[in-house]
Amino acid sequence: MRLHTHTWGEGDRIALLVHGVMADHRTWRRVGPALASLGYRVIAVDLRGHGASGRGEYGAAVFADDLAETLPAGAELAIGHSLGGLALSLAVDRLLPRRAVYSDPAWHLGSLGEGFGPELFAGFKAAPKEQIQAMNPRWEEADVDVELLTLAAWDEATALSLGPLTGTDLLPAAPVVPSLVQLADPSFLIDGDRAAVLASRGFEVRSVAGAGHTIHRDDFEGFMTSLEGWI
């Protein structure tokens, strides 16, 4: 499926942005312009079932196939958050960016703990503004408003499609391209042991102190600082 995309900037270098579950390209409202100011042409997708992209069959492999069909190969940089990190890792051998950043990637859904799985995520579809604010006290008001808009445009069946992956170890065996794994502190997806495994496999691993799962909205400055040497 060809995905809806949004572009910032007109630079010679290309950066790709892939959002997580429940979101769409609007989650990158600060990151996109920041990268554009550094000379990138930034392309952000809406994954299938999110934003303005189409609906249909869902699953990690399908999300990855859509990325390969939609995005240009050989970009300077690709960043994937959460589900977007998982999808990017499954498409990276086809997209072959020069550098990849996996921001708190969904490589071990079992880390969520009992009762905190796809069904709970699907339930967020109807979350009121007050709940989003309470769960994300460090977000700017604009990010809360964006979350409400993206939830309204989201097909919660995308979350339910991830059920079969719960408890499965999805950590890549090795980086296909030079790769940074950027973690929340603490990360509920990649614990310390798995972070050490990733480092032993050739990934650079950095944590953003005190940041929640959606690092770029929880601590934008920390997110950008963590990318030093990669952008």
Side-chain angles (χ1 to χ4, degrees):
M1 177 186 293
R2 294 282 298 183
L3 302 173
H4 174 79
T5 62
H6 182 86
T7 302
W8 293 272
E10 299 178 350
D12 295 330
R13 300 182 296 166
I14 296 176
L16 311 176
L17 300 177
V18 189
H19 64 81
V21 72
M22 301 188 288
D24 60 40
H25 74 272
R26 290 171 286 187
T27 188
W28 304 111
R29 68 175 189 90
R30 297 184 70 185
V31 177
L35 293 177
S37 74
L38 298 176
Y40 286 96
R41 178 162 63 93
V42 185
I43 305 172
V45 299
D46 290 351
L47 290 172
R48 171 187 303 227
H50 298 75
S53 287
R55 275 51 179 156
E57 177 186 356
Y58 301 125
V62 174
F63 294 136
D65 289 345
D66 290 345
L67 295 182
E69 181 177 345
T70 302
L71 295 172
E76 291 287 331
L77 174 69
I79 302 176
H81 170 247
S82 194
L83 173 60
L86 171 59
L88 176 60
S89 70
L90 297 175
V92 71
D93 59 340
R94 290 167 280 177
L95 291 173
L96 293 175
R98 300 184 93 175
R99 298 177 302 283
V101 176
Y102 302 103
S103 184
D104 223 29
W107 286 340
H108 192 80
L109 300 182
S111 300
L112 298 174
E114 186 171 353
F116 199 78
E119 295 81 5
L120 182 63
F121 276 109
F124 285 138
K125 172 74 174 178
K129 184 172 186 175
E130 294 74 18
Q131 182 181 358
I132 295 169
Q133 290 172 318
M135 293 178 65
N136 304 285
R138 298 177 64 183
W139 285 14
E140 293 186 356
E141 185 78 8
D143 290 304
V144 175
D145 291 339
V146 163
E147 184 80 348
L148 290 169
L149 293 172
T150 58
L151 285 172
W154 169 56
D155 182 355
E156 62 270 36
T158 58
L160 298 175
S161 75
L162 302 176
L165 299 180
T166 302
T168 302
D169 185 352
L170 303 170
L171 273 64
V176 174
V177 299
S179 299
L180 168 68
V181 179
Q182 180 196 63
L183 298 179
D185 176 36
S187 171
F188 62 74
L189 291 169
I190 307 293
D191 61 18
D193 289 342
R194 290 185 176 84
V197 168
L198 288 166
S200 73
R201 293 178 180 180
F203 292 86
E204 182 169 351
V205 180
R206 299 178 181 176
S207 293
V208 179
H213 173 57
T214 313
I215 301 170
H216 57 281
R217 292 193 283 189
D218 216 49
D219 182 0
F220 173 72
E221 298 300 335
F223 174 87
M224 295 301 295
T225 298
S226 177
L227 299 180
E228 183 176 348
W230 290 85
I231 58 175

